[in-house]
Amino acid sequence: MSEIAGPDTVAAPPARTTATARSRYAIALWVALPLFLLGMAAAWLVVSDPLRAFNNGAPPVERLTFERRILDNGGIHLLVRAGGSEPVTIAQVQVDDAYWTFTQDPSGDLPRLATAWIHIPFPWTLGEAHAIRVVTKTGTTFDHEIPVAVRTPEADSSQLVPQAVLGAFVGIVPVSLGLMFYPALRGVGSQGMGFLLALTIGLLAFLLVDATEDALELAGEAATAFQGPVMVVLAATVSFLLLWVVGRRRGAPTGLALATYIALGIGLHNLGEGLAIGAAFTAGAAGLGTFLVLGFTLHNITEGIGIAAPLVKEPPPLSAFVWLALLAGAPAILGIWFGSLAYSPQWAALALAVGAGAILQVIVEVGVYLLRLDDRWKTASVPVSVIGGLVAGVALMYATAVLVKV
């Protein structure tokens, strides 16, 4: 007769639980063992220094990148970053071929990837160009040019408010004007809808190429250790995949959701444009006259039309248009502020790369949406309206970009 276990009876752990615990211990061991051996190998490499046999007396490879410049009543201030294989020691500084006294903060050698401010009490002249040369202890020279000397904007309301107004003109205002075409777009038929979506893809394709080109150019100005081109590709890929996962949580986005993703991608691109404008303010390399501001405005109106296209079949509330205009245009204000006050090439390249990845994700989503709307794709024929929209979008962005490239 079998015994019935009472309430105080303790059941033996199943064999499967014991096997699982042993498996976890084995996995932990095979993770810890390679790491331990790696640490031992690194310690031996440092202590024994087997590479000294290859030392032929050649000077170390030195690299110095100029990341930021400030001009004020105290002179010229440069933020530099070391990127070579050995620490860098700054020995002398020349300005316009003349040696000048300088102070370094922090002082001493600059280890790899470390930064320091070089303060030069040089009486710069407004509107003139100045050439700066930094000489290291080994005699290596690094040059930096100031094309047009202007006072660096300070973080106060007297500068930030006008910059915010400018950012609104090149970001929020044109996108809002583009969204105002929405009532006119609602009267289009199926072919017109295909044309508008293809137009949006053309606009975004131009922005993708433009953002990628600018990101790679800025990455080339950053310290070599950051591996600028690789950083751009990785950041764009991660941005694309993250937005793809988020956007696909509830299926393929349509209507307002798709318009929001388009506005987000354009907003990240406008953040990069704002960084470029702010950096131009600081460097004095470009005078943003009325014609140039109008050019930016005209260029970005087309972006508002692209945001409105997915809303034709699903009209949203009026508040949604306000949100979309701010999402796409307001980052231009932030970009101008950061670009004029805390600009560095690697962070600007990273911002543009993230924007490029976001734009690519939006292109894919709009393309999928376009395929679902038109049955003619099933016959492997591309509608003429779609081809016309793609060509018109790219051509329109290219034509208006001519007005803003300096």
Side-chain angles (χ1 to χ4, degrees), residues 170-196:
V170 301
I172 298 176
V173 170
V175 172
S176 300
L177 292 176
L179 288 171
M180 291 179 67
F181 284 94
Y182 174 73
L185 302 179
R186 292 194 61 189
V188 301
S190 59
Q191 289 189 357
M193 186 62 183
F195 176 85
L196 290 176

Side-chain angles (χ1 to χ4, degrees), residues 67-71 117 150-156 159-164 166 271-284 288 332-344 348:
E67 292 194 350
R68 180 148 172 79
R69 166 177 84 234
I70 295 178
L71 276 65
W117 281 98
V150 294
R151 183 181 179 86
T152 303
E154 298 178 357
D156 55 41
Q159 292 291 336
L160 296 182
V161 172
Q163 290 178 3
L166 176 61
L271 174 67
E273 282 190 349
L275 288 171
I277 295 173
F281 270 128
T282 302
L288 292 175
I333 300 176
L334 299 177
I336 292 177
W337 282 345
F338 290 134
S340 62
L341 300 175
Y343 176 82
S344 62

Side-chain angles (χ1 to χ4, degrees), residues 49-190:
D49 190 19
L51 299 180
R52 65 177 179 271
F54 301 98
N55 188 1
N56 58 2
V61 177
E62 295 180 328
R63 296 188 184 277
L64 201 67
T65 304
F66 298 86
E67 292 194 350
R68 180 148 172 79
R69 166 177 84 234
I70 295 178
L71 276 65
D72 58 18
N73 294 334
I76 301 174
H77 314 274
L78 301 173
L79 179 64
V80 297
R81 184 184 298 271
S85 59
E86 297 292 335
V88 175
T89 303
I90 300 175
Q92 296 173 323
V93 173
Q94 298 178 4
V95 182
D96 295 340
D97 296 326
Y99 288 98
W100 279 83
T101 59
F102 71 96
T103 57
Q104 178 183 324
D105 182 26
S107 60
D109 296 343
L110 283 179
R112 179 178 171 84
L113 293 182
T115 59
W117 281 98
I118 301 176
H119 305 286
I120 312 168
F122 176 78
W124 54 272
T125 304
L126 179 65
E128 291 191 0
H130 298 289
I132 301 173
R133 172 167 293 178
V134 175
V135 185
T136 67
K137 183 177 64 175
T138 63
T140 307
T141 60
F142 299 93
D143 296 330
H144 178 72
E145 181 183 1
I146 302 177
V148 182
V150 294
R151 183 181 179 86
T152 303
E154 298 178 357
D156 55 41
S157 58
S158 64
Q159 292 291 336
L160 296 182
V161 172
Q163 290 178 3
V165 173
L166 176 61
F169 262 100
V170 301
I172 298 176
V173 170
V175 172
S176 300
L177 292 176
L179 288 171
M180 291 179 67
F181 284 94
Y182 174 73
L185 302 179
R186 292 194 61 189
V188 301
S190 59

